[in-house]
Protein backbone atom coordinates (compact mmCIF):
# COMPACT_ATOMS: atom_id res chain seq x y z
CA UNK A 1 0.00 0.00 0.00
CA UNK A 2 2.86 2.35 0.88
CA UNK A 3 4.57 1.59 -2.45
CA UNK A 4 1.32 2.23 -4.36
CA UNK A 5 0.91 5.59 -2.62
CA UNK A 6 4.54 6.44 -3.33
CA UNK A 7 3.99 5.68 -7.02
CA UNK A 8 0.80 7.76 -7.28
CA UNK A 9 0.31 10.03 -10.30
CA UNK A 10 0.77 13.10 -8.10
CA UNK A 11 4.12 11.94 -6.69
CA UNK A 12 5.37 10.75 -10.06
CA UNK A 13 4.36 14.07 -11.63
CA UNK A 14 6.23 15.99 -8.94
CA UNK A 15 9.30 13.84 -9.59
CA UNK A 16 8.90 14.35 -13.34
CA UNK A 17 8.81 18.13 -12.87
CA UNK A 18 12.17 18.24 -11.07
CA UNK A 19 13.70 15.66 -13.41
CA UNK A 20 12.43 17.58 -16.46
CA UNK A 21 13.85 20.86 -15.18
CA UNK A 22 17.27 19.25 -14.62
CA UNK A 23 17.22 17.44 -17.97
CA UNK A 24 16.19 20.57 -19.87
CA UNK A 25 18.87 22.67 -18.16
CA UNK A 26 21.79 20.26 -18.64
CA UNK A 27 20.71 18.65 -21.95
CA UNK A 28 18.92 21.36 -23.95
CA UNK A 29 19.35 19.85 -27.43
CA UNK A 30 17.93 16.38 -26.63
CA UNK A 31 15.15 18.08 -24.66
CA UNK A 32 14.04 20.05 -27.71
CA UNK A 33 14.38 16.99 -29.97
CA UNK A 34 12.19 14.89 -27.66
CA UNK A 35 9.51 17.54 -27.22
CA UNK A 36 7.33 15.58 -29.65
CA UNK A 37 6.51 13.15 -26.82
CA UNK A 38 5.10 16.04 -24.79
CA UNK A 39 3.21 17.25 -27.87
CA UNK A 40 1.57 13.82 -28.15
CA UNK A 41 0.38 14.18 -24.55
CA UNK A 42 -1.10 17.60 -25.35
CA UNK A 43 -2.85 16.19 -28.42
CA UNK A 44 -4.40 13.48 -26.25
CA UNK A 45 -5.68 16.16 -23.84
CA UNK A 46 -7.19 18.16 -26.69
CA UNK A 47 -8.74 14.98 -28.11
CA UNK A 48 -10.91 14.67 -24.98
CA UNK A 49 -12.30 18.21 -24.89
CA UNK A 50 -15.31 18.16 -27.23
CA UNK A 51 -16.86 14.78 -26.32
CA UNK A 52 -16.21 15.36 -22.60
CA UNK A 53 -17.81 18.80 -22.59
CA UNK A 54 -20.74 17.74 -24.79
CA UNK A 55 -21.57 14.64 -22.72
CA UNK A 56 -21.04 16.32 -19.33
CA UNK A 57 -23.30 19.27 -20.05
CA UNK A 58 -26.00 17.11 -21.63
CA UNK A 59 -26.05 14.65 -18.71
CA UNK A 60 -26.12 17.45 -16.14
CA UNK A 61 -29.22 19.04 -17.70
CA UNK A 62 -30.97 15.88 -18.87
CA UNK A 63 -30.63 14.34 -15.38
CA UNK A 64 -33.62 16.47 -14.38
CA UNK A 65 -36.81 14.41 -14.26
CA UNK A 66 -38.55 16.76 -16.68
CA UNK A 67 -39.59 20.31 -17.41
CA UNK A 68 -41.35 20.61 -14.02
CA UNK A 69 -38.16 19.88 -12.11
CA UNK A 70 -36.28 22.16 -14.50
CA UNK A 71 -38.58 25.01 -13.45
CA UNK A 72 -38.58 24.27 -9.70
CA UNK A 73 -35.05 23.27 -8.78
CA UNK A 74 -33.03 23.03 -12.01
CA UNK A 75 -33.19 26.69 -13.01
CA UNK A 76 -32.27 27.80 -9.48
CA UNK A 77 -29.31 25.41 -9.39
CA UNK A 78 -27.99 26.39 -12.81
CA UNK A 79 -28.43 30.11 -12.14
CA UNK A 80 -26.50 29.72 -8.90
CA UNK A 81 -23.70 27.76 -10.56
CA UNK A 82 -23.36 30.15 -13.49
CA UNK A 83 -23.51 33.21 -11.24
CA UNK A 84 -20.87 32.02 -8.78
CA UNK A 85 -18.61 30.78 -11.57
CA UNK A 86 -18.93 34.07 -13.46
CA UNK A 87 -18.20 36.04 -10.27
CA UNK A 88 -15.17 33.84 -9.61
CA UNK A 89 -13.78 34.47 -13.10
CA UNK A 90 -14.43 38.22 -12.86
CA UNK A 91 -12.71 38.29 -9.46
CA UNK A 92 -9.76 36.35 -10.87
CA UNK A 93 -9.37 38.75 -13.79
CA UNK A 94 -9.68 41.83 -11.53
CA UNK A 95 -7.13 40.52 -8.99
CA UNK A 96 -4.81 39.60 -11.84
CA UNK A 97 -4.90 43.13 -13.27
CA UNK A 98 -4.33 44.63 -9.81
CA UNK A 99 -1.26 42.48 -9.06
CA UNK A 100 -0.24 41.94 -12.71
CA UNK A 101 2.11 38.97 -12.11
CA UNK A 102 4.77 38.45 -14.75
CA UNK A 103 4.12 41.80 -16.44
CA UNK A 104 6.84 42.93 -18.81
CA UNK A 105 9.00 39.85 -18.22
CA UNK A 106 8.74 38.26 -21.72
CA UNK A 107 10.06 35.00 -20.29
CA UNK A 108 8.29 32.61 -22.68
CA UNK A 109 9.12 32.59 -26.37
CA UNK A 110 6.13 31.90 -28.59
CA UNK A 111 6.60 29.31 -31.36
CA UNK A 112 7.35 30.91 -34.73
CA UNK A 113 4.14 29.57 -36.23
CA UNK A 114 2.02 31.22 -33.52
CA UNK A 115 0.55 34.63 -34.28
CA UNK A 116 -1.79 36.23 -31.77
CA UNK A 117 -4.41 38.11 -33.74
CA UNK A 118 -6.01 41.03 -31.90
CA UNK A 119 -9.51 41.77 -33.11
CA UNK A 120 -11.67 44.80 -32.47
CA UNK A 121 -14.69 44.08 -30.29
CA UNK A 122 -17.85 43.87 -32.37
CA UNK A 123 -21.01 43.14 -30.38
CA UNK A 124 -22.77 41.72 -33.45
CA UNK A 125 -19.92 39.38 -34.38
CA UNK A 126 -19.44 38.36 -30.76
CA UNK A 127 -23.10 37.41 -30.32
CA UNK A 128 -23.24 35.63 -33.67
CA UNK A 129 -20.12 33.62 -32.75
CA UNK A 130 -22.21 31.74 -30.16
CA UNK A 131 -24.70 30.40 -32.72
CA UNK A 132 -23.43 27.59 -34.97
CA UNK A 133 -24.68 27.68 -38.56
CA UNK A 134 -23.49 24.09 -38.93
CA UNK A 135 -22.97 22.08 -35.73
CA UNK A 136 -20.83 19.49 -37.52
CA UNK A 137 -18.55 22.20 -38.89
CA UNK A 138 -17.95 23.75 -35.45
CA UNK A 139 -17.44 20.27 -33.97
CA UNK A 140 -14.72 19.62 -36.53
CA UNK A 141 -13.10 22.99 -35.75
CA UNK A 142 -13.42 22.52 -31.99
CA UNK A 143 -15.10 25.94 -31.59
CA UNK A 144 -16.09 25.51 -27.97
CA UNK A 145 -18.54 28.37 -27.41
CA UNK A 146 -21.03 27.47 -30.19
CA UNK A 147 -20.71 23.81 -29.19
CA UNK A 148 -21.66 24.64 -25.58
CA UNK A 149 -24.54 26.82 -26.80
CA UNK A 150 -25.91 23.99 -28.95
CA UNK A 151 -25.43 21.38 -26.22
CA UNK A 152 -27.41 23.42 -23.67
CA UNK A 153 -30.28 23.92 -26.13
CA UNK A 154 -30.17 20.26 -27.15
CA UNK A 155 -30.26 19.06 -23.52
CA UNK A 156 -33.12 21.40 -22.55
CA UNK A 157 -35.09 20.27 -25.62
CA UNK A 158 -34.60 16.65 -24.51
CA UNK A 159 -36.59 17.43 -21.34
CA UNK A 160 -39.67 18.06 -23.50
CA UNK A 161 -39.73 14.76 -25.42
CA UNK A 162 -41.43 11.52 -24.40
CA UNK A 163 -39.92 10.29 -21.07
CA UNK A 164 -39.05 6.84 -22.42
CA UNK A 165 -37.21 8.33 -25.39
CA UNK A 166 -35.52 10.87 -23.11
CA UNK A 167 -34.31 8.06 -20.86
CA UNK A 168 -32.78 6.25 -23.82
CA UNK A 169 -31.03 9.42 -24.95
CA UNK A 170 -29.87 10.12 -21.40
CA UNK A 171 -28.45 6.59 -21.00
CA UNK A 172 -26.54 6.97 -24.27
CA UNK A 173 -24.86 10.22 -23.24
CA UNK A 174 -24.39 9.02 -19.66
CA UNK A 175 -22.49 6.02 -21.04
CA UNK A 176 -20.46 8.33 -23.28
CA UNK A 177 -19.72 10.54 -20.27
CA UNK A 178 -18.59 7.56 -18.17
CA UNK A 179 -16.43 6.35 -21.04
CA UNK A 180 -14.86 9.77 -21.48
CA UNK A 181 -14.13 9.89 -17.75
CA UNK A 182 -12.21 6.62 -18.07
CA UNK A 183 -10.36 7.96 -21.12
CA UNK A 184 -9.56 11.14 -19.18
CA UNK A 185 -8.11 9.09 -16.33
CA UNK A 186 -5.98 7.15 -18.79
CA UNK A 187 -4.61 10.31 -20.38
CA UNK A 188 -4.05 11.96 -17.00
CA UNK A 189 -2.13 8.85 -15.92
CA UNK A 190 0.38 9.80 -18.66
CA UNK A 191 0.90 13.22 -17.05
CA UNK A 192 4.33 12.37 -15.53
CA UNK A 193 5.66 11.40 -18.97
CA UNK A 194 4.11 14.39 -20.71
CA UNK A 195 5.22 16.79 -17.99
CA UNK A 196 8.82 15.56 -18.10
CA UNK A 197 9.27 16.23 -21.81
CA UNK A 198 7.23 19.45 -21.87
CA UNK A 199 8.99 21.07 -18.92
CA UNK A 200 12.38 19.90 -20.22
CA UNK A 201 11.70 21.57 -23.59
CA UNK A 202 10.41 24.71 -21.87
CA UNK A 203 13.56 25.03 -19.72
CA UNK A 204 15.80 24.26 -22.70
CA UNK A 205 14.14 27.01 -24.73
CA UNK A 206 13.46 29.68 -22.08
CA UNK A 207 15.82 28.92 -19.18
CA UNK A 208 14.82 28.83 -15.49
CA UNK A 209 13.49 32.38 -15.22
CA UNK A 210 9.83 31.53 -16.05
CA UNK A 211 9.79 28.95 -13.25
CA UNK A 212 11.18 31.44 -10.72
CA UNK A 213 8.45 33.90 -11.74
CA UNK A 214 5.72 31.38 -10.83
CA UNK A 215 5.68 32.60 -7.22
CA UNK A 216 3.77 35.74 -8.25
CA UNK A 217 1.25 33.64 -10.18
CA UNK A 218 0.71 31.27 -7.22
CA UNK A 219 0.18 34.15 -4.80
CA UNK A 220 -2.32 35.78 -7.17
CA UNK A 221 -4.35 32.57 -7.51
CA UNK A 222 -4.32 31.91 -3.75
CA UNK A 223 -5.42 35.47 -2.93
CA UNK A 224 -8.28 35.34 -5.45
CA UNK A 225 -9.41 31.91 -4.18
CA UNK A 226 -9.34 33.16 -0.60
CA UNK A 227 -11.44 36.23 -1.44
CA UNK A 228 -13.96 34.15 -3.36
CA UNK A 229 -14.28 31.58 -0.57
CA UNK A 230 -14.46 34.04 2.31
CA UNK A 231 -16.30 37.00 0.76
CA UNK A 232 -18.06 36.31 -2.56
CA UNK A 233 -19.72 33.00 -1.70
CA UNK A 234 -20.68 33.96 1.88
CA UNK A 235 -22.13 37.25 0.59
CA UNK A 236 -24.47 35.31 -1.71
CA UNK A 237 -25.55 33.08 1.18
CA UNK A 238 -26.13 36.02 3.50
CA UNK A 239 -27.91 38.44 1.15
CA UNK A 240 -29.90 35.93 -0.92
CA UNK A 241 -30.45 33.08 1.52
CA UNK A 242 -30.51 35.14 4.72
CA UNK A 243 -28.43 32.64 6.69
CA UNK A 244 -25.04 32.81 8.42
CA UNK A 245 -22.60 31.22 5.91
CA UNK A 246 -19.69 31.06 8.35
CA UNK A 247 -21.73 29.14 10.91
CA UNK A 248 -22.87 26.80 8.13
CA UNK A 249 -19.25 26.29 7.07
CA UNK A 250 -18.30 25.17 10.57
CA UNK A 251 -21.10 22.60 10.38
CA UNK A 252 -19.94 21.07 7.07
CA UNK A 253 -16.19 21.77 7.27
CA UNK A 254 -15.22 18.07 6.95
CA UNK A 255 -16.15 17.99 3.26
CA UNK A 256 -13.98 20.94 2.08
CA UNK A 257 -11.09 19.56 4.13
CA UNK A 258 -11.39 16.18 2.40
CA UNK A 259 -11.73 17.94 -0.96
CA UNK A 260 -8.49 19.79 -0.16
CA UNK A 261 -6.62 16.57 0.63
CA UNK A 262 -7.96 14.51 -2.31
CA UNK A 263 -8.20 17.29 -4.93
CA UNK A 264 -11.30 15.51 -6.22
CA UNK A 265 -14.88 16.77 -6.06
CA UNK A 266 -16.24 13.37 -7.04
CA UNK A 267 -14.31 11.50 -4.35
CA UNK A 268 -15.61 13.95 -1.73
CA UNK A 269 -19.27 13.60 -2.81
CA UNK A 270 -20.34 10.94 -0.24
CA UNK A 271 -19.00 13.07 2.61
CA UNK A 272 -20.62 16.20 1.17
CA UNK A 273 -24.02 14.48 1.04
CA UNK A 274 -23.68 13.25 4.62
CA UNK A 275 -22.62 16.53 6.23
CA UNK A 276 -25.10 18.63 4.21
CA UNK A 277 -28.06 16.50 5.30
CA UNK A 278 -27.07 15.54 8.85
CA UNK A 279 -25.15 18.63 10.00
CA UNK A 280 -26.16 21.38 7.58
CA UNK A 281 -29.90 20.73 7.67
CA UNK A 282 -30.29 20.44 3.88
CA UNK A 283 -33.19 18.27 2.71
CA UNK A 284 -32.31 14.91 1.19
CA UNK A 285 -34.03 15.77 -2.11
CA UNK A 286 -32.10 19.01 -2.61
CA UNK A 287 -28.77 17.59 -1.46
CA UNK A 288 -29.24 14.51 -3.64
CA UNK A 289 -29.74 16.67 -6.72
CA UNK A 290 -27.62 19.77 -6.15
CA UNK A 291 -24.43 18.18 -4.78
CA UNK A 292 -23.89 15.48 -7.45
CA UNK A 293 -24.71 18.06 -10.12
CA UNK A 294 -22.33 20.56 -8.49
CA UNK A 295 -19.52 18.01 -8.35
CA UNK A 296 -19.81 17.83 -12.15
CA UNK A 297 -20.51 21.37 -13.28
CA UNK A 298 -19.81 23.80 -10.41
CA UNK A 299 -16.10 24.61 -10.68
CA UNK A 300 -15.67 28.11 -9.23
CA UNK A 301 -12.12 27.55 -8.07
CA UNK A 302 -11.07 25.85 -11.30
CA UNK A 303 -12.58 28.61 -13.44
CA UNK A 304 -10.88 31.32 -11.37
CA UNK A 305 -7.53 29.54 -11.56
CA UNK A 306 -7.75 29.00 -15.33
CA UNK A 307 -8.57 32.64 -16.06
CA UNK A 308 -5.53 33.80 -14.07
CA UNK A 309 -3.32 31.11 -15.61
CA UNK A 310 -4.14 32.13 -19.18
CA UNK A 311 -3.58 35.83 -18.43
CA UNK A 312 -0.29 34.99 -16.71
CA UNK A 313 0.89 32.97 -19.71
CA UNK A 314 0.00 35.91 -21.97
CA UNK A 315 1.92 38.28 -19.67
CA UNK A 316 5.15 36.31 -19.60
CA UNK A 317 4.88 35.69 -23.35
CA UNK A 318 4.71 39.43 -23.99
CA UNK A 319 1.17 39.19 -25.40
CA UNK A 320 -1.22 42.05 -24.71
CA UNK A 321 -4.68 40.52 -24.89
CA UNK A 322 -7.45 42.75 -26.20
CA UNK A 323 -10.72 43.41 -24.38
CA UNK A 324 -12.46 41.07 -26.82
CA UNK A 325 -10.00 38.29 -26.02
CA UNK A 326 -10.41 38.79 -22.28
CA UNK A 327 -14.18 38.63 -22.67
CA UNK A 328 -13.65 35.44 -24.66
CA UNK A 329 -11.63 34.07 -21.75
CA UNK A 330 -14.43 35.01 -19.36
CA UNK A 331 -17.15 33.35 -21.46
CA UNK A 332 -15.08 30.26 -22.31
CA UNK A 333 -13.90 29.62 -18.75
CA UNK A 334 -17.36 30.21 -17.26
CA UNK A 335 -19.14 27.77 -19.54
CA UNK A 336 -16.27 25.32 -20.07
CA UNK A 337 -16.05 24.73 -16.33
CA UNK A 338 -19.45 23.01 -16.64
CA UNK A 339 -17.68 20.23 -18.51
CA UNK A 340 -14.70 19.93 -16.17
CA UNK A 341 -14.78 16.38 -14.86
CA UNK A 342 -14.55 16.08 -11.08
CA UNK A 343 -11.27 14.16 -11.10
CA UNK A 344 -7.75 15.28 -10.10
CA UNK A 345 -5.94 17.07 -12.93
CA UNK A 346 -8.97 17.39 -15.22
CA UNK A 347 -8.49 21.18 -15.17
CA UNK A 348 -5.55 20.64 -17.54
CA UNK A 349 -8.01 19.41 -20.17
CA UNK A 350 -10.01 22.60 -19.84
CA UNK A 351 -6.85 24.71 -19.85
CA UNK A 352 -5.96 23.55 -23.36
CA UNK A 353 -9.40 24.70 -24.48
CA UNK A 354 -9.06 28.18 -22.98
CA UNK A 355 -5.57 28.71 -24.39
CA UNK A 356 -6.87 27.69 -27.81
CA UNK A 357 -9.77 30.16 -27.55
CA UNK A 358 -7.40 33.16 -27.54
CA UNK A 359 -4.70 31.70 -29.77
CA UNK A 360 -2.04 31.08 -27.11
CA UNK A 361 0.13 27.96 -27.59
CA UNK A 362 -1.19 24.94 -25.68
CA UNK A 363 2.38 23.88 -24.86
CA UNK A 364 2.50 26.80 -22.40
CA UNK A 365 0.70 24.65 -19.83
CA UNK A 366 4.08 22.94 -19.26
CA UNK A 367 4.97 25.87 -17.04
CA UNK A 368 1.66 25.90 -15.15
CA UNK A 369 1.83 22.15 -14.50
CA UNK A 370 4.80 22.67 -12.18
CA UNK A 371 2.51 24.13 -9.50
CA UNK A 372 -0.79 22.62 -10.65
CA UNK A 373 -1.10 19.93 -7.98
CA UNK A 374 -0.46 22.42 -5.17
CA UNK A 375 -3.11 24.82 -6.47
CA UNK A 376 -5.46 21.96 -7.34
CA UNK A 377 -6.04 21.22 -3.66
CA UNK A 378 -7.07 24.81 -2.91
CA UNK A 379 -9.33 25.23 -5.92
CA UNK A 380 -11.06 21.87 -5.31
CA UNK A 381 -11.80 22.90 -1.72
CA UNK A 382 -13.34 26.13 -3.05
CA UNK A 383 -15.36 24.12 -5.60
CA UNK A 384 -16.71 21.91 -2.83
CA UNK A 385 -17.53 24.84 -0.54
CA UNK A 386 -19.46 26.44 -3.41
CA UNK A 387 -21.45 23.21 -3.93
CA UNK A 388 -22.38 22.95 -0.26
CA UNK A 389 -23.34 26.61 0.05
CA UNK A 390 -25.46 26.27 -3.09
CA UNK A 391 -27.30 23.27 -1.65
CA UNK A 392 -28.15 25.22 1.51
CA UNK A 393 -29.21 28.32 -0.44
CA UNK A 394 -31.49 26.41 -2.85
CA UNK A 395 -33.01 24.43 0.03
CA UNK A 396 -33.91 27.68 1.79
CA UNK A 397 -35.33 29.25 -1.38
CA UNK A 398 -37.53 26.22 -2.07
CA UNK A 399 -38.96 26.33 1.46
CA UNK A 400 -40.04 29.95 1.22
Amino acid sequence: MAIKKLLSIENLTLLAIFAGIAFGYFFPTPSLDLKVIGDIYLKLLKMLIIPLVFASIFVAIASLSGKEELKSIGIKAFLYYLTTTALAVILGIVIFHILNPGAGEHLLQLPQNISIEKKDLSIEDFLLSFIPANIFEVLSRGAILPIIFFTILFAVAALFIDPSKRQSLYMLFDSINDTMMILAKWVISLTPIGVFFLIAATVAKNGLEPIFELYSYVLTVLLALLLHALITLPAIGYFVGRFNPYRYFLQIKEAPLIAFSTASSSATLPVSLEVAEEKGGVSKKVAGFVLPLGATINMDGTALYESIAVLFIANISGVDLSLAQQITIFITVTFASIGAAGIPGAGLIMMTMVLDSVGLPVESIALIITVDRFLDMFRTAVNNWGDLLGAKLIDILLRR
Side-chain angles (χ1 to χ4, degrees):
M1 191 69 180
I3 294 177
K4 185 178 179 180
K5 186 175 181 180
L6 186 66
L7 296 178
S8 67
I9 296 298
E10 294 79 14
N11 290 337
L12 289 175
T13 301
L14 186 63
L15 180 64
I17 289 170
F18 289 111
I21 291 171
F23 190 79
Y25 185 78
F26 292 108
F27 305 102
T29 301
S31 295
L32 293 173
D33 292 339
L34 294 171
K35 178 178 172 290
V36 64
I37 299 175
D39 291 338
I40 291 172
Y41 169 70
L42 292 177
K43 284 280 190 179
L44 289 171
L45 285 176
K46 293 180 71 174
M47 175 186 74
L48 301 172
I49 291 173
I50 301 305
L52 186 62
V53 169
F54 197 107
S56 295
I57 295 176
F58 181 87
V59 168
I61 296 175
S63 63
L64 297 168
S65 62
K67 54 187 177 182
E68 292 77 16
E69 191 171 30
L70 173 66
K71 293 176 183 177
S72 62
I73 186 172
I75 290 178
K76 290 182 177 64
F78 282 106
L79 280 177
Y80 169 79
Y81 293 146
L82 285 175
T83 300
T84 56
T85 301
L87 289 174
V89 175
I90 291 171
L91 177 64
I93 293 174
V94 169
I95 295 298
F96 178 88
H97 283 295
I98 292 173
L99 300 181
N100 214 12
E105 298 292 341
H106 294 211
L107 301 175
L108 276 185
Q109 300 177 41
L110 293 177
Q112 293 182 352
N113 61 335
I114 294 291
S115 176
I116 309 298
E117 183 180 356
K118 295 184 69 172
K119 298 179 180 179
D120 295 329
L121 181 62
S122 167
I123 299 298
E124 293 83 359
D125 291 342
F126 185 73
L127 292 175
L128 288 173
S129 69
F130 281 85
I131 304 173
N134 184 335
I135 186 59
F136 298 103
E137 188 267 334
V138 295
L139 282 169
S140 67
R141 284 195 294 112
I144 193 63
L145 290 181
I147 290 172
I148 290 174
F149 178 82
F150 174 81
T151 306
I152 292 173
L153 285 182
F154 183 65
V156 171
L159 296 175
F160 290 80
I161 66 175
D162 181 78
S164 61
K165 293 181 180 179
R166 181 173 69 242
Q167 182 62 21
S168 300
L169 194 60
Y170 173 82
M171 290 177 66
L172 170 64
F173 281 98
D174 191 40
S175 298
I176 293 173
N177 188 50
D178 289 345
T179 304
M180 292 309 303
M181 290 282 282
I182 293 173
L183 267 178
K185 289 179 181 178
W186 286 354
V187 174
I188 289 171
S189 69
L190 300 175
T191 297
I193 299 172
V195 163
F196 175 84
F197 290 103
L198 286 172
I199 197 66
T202 299
V203 171
K205 185 177 181 180
N206 303 283
L208 296 174
E209 290 83 2
I211 294 175
F212 294 145
E213 185 59 33
L214 280 174
Y215 80 92
S216 60
Y217 158 71
V218 170
L219 291 177
T220 304
V221 173
L222 290 180
L223 176 61
L225 287 174
L226 188 67
L227 292 173
H228 185 68
L230 297 182
I231 297 177
T232 306
L233 290 174
I236 293 174
Y238 180 78
F239 290 108
V240 180
R242 299 296 180 184
F243 66 95
N244 187 326
Y246 302 110
R247 183 183 302 158
Y248 175 64
F249 177 81
L250 293 176
Q251 294 170 338
I252 52 85
K253 62 183 180 298
E254 292 93 340
L257 289 173
I258 292 175
F260 178 83
S261 62
T262 62
S264 171
S265 298
S266 297
T268 312
L269 183 56
V271 180
S272 298
L273 288 167
E274 181 183 357
V275 297
E277 294 172 22
E278 297 184 6
K279 298 183 179 181
V282 179
S283 69
K284 187 173 183 178
K285 178 185 177 181
V286 173
F289 173 79
V290 174
L291 292 176
L293 185 65
T296 304
I297 71 170
N298 187 35
M299 301 286 172
D300 295 4
T302 302
L304 183 152
Y305 141 84
E306 288 180 353
S307 62
I308 293 177
V310 174
L311 291 171
F312 176 74
I313 288 172
N315 252 7
I316 62 173
S317 301
V319 175
D320 183 21
L321 295 177
S322 67
L323 176 61
Q325 288 170 313
Q326 292 190 49
I327 292 176
T328 298
I329 291 173
F330 165 73
I331 299 292
T332 305
V333 170
T334 299
F335 285 94
S337 66
I338 296 175
I343 54 177
L348 293 176
I349 300 172
M350 297 301 112
M351 181 67 73
T352 63
M353 179 197 310
V354 183
L355 286 168
D356 256 353
S357 71
V358 290
L360 288 169
V362 174
E363 64 193 52
S364 304
I365 67 171
L367 183 64
I368 300 302
I369 288 174
T370 59
V371 291
D372 181 74
R373 175 61 185 180
F374 173 71
L375 293 176
D376 197 8
M377 297 187 294
F378 289 93
R379 65 181 187 253
T380 304
V382 173
N383 291 342
N384 181 257
W385 167 223
D387 294 345
L388 287 159
L389 188 125
K392 182 71 172 178
L393 176 64
I394 292 168
D395 188 54
I396 290 174
L397 293 177
L398 289 174
R399 291 180 182 181
R400 286 179 179 171

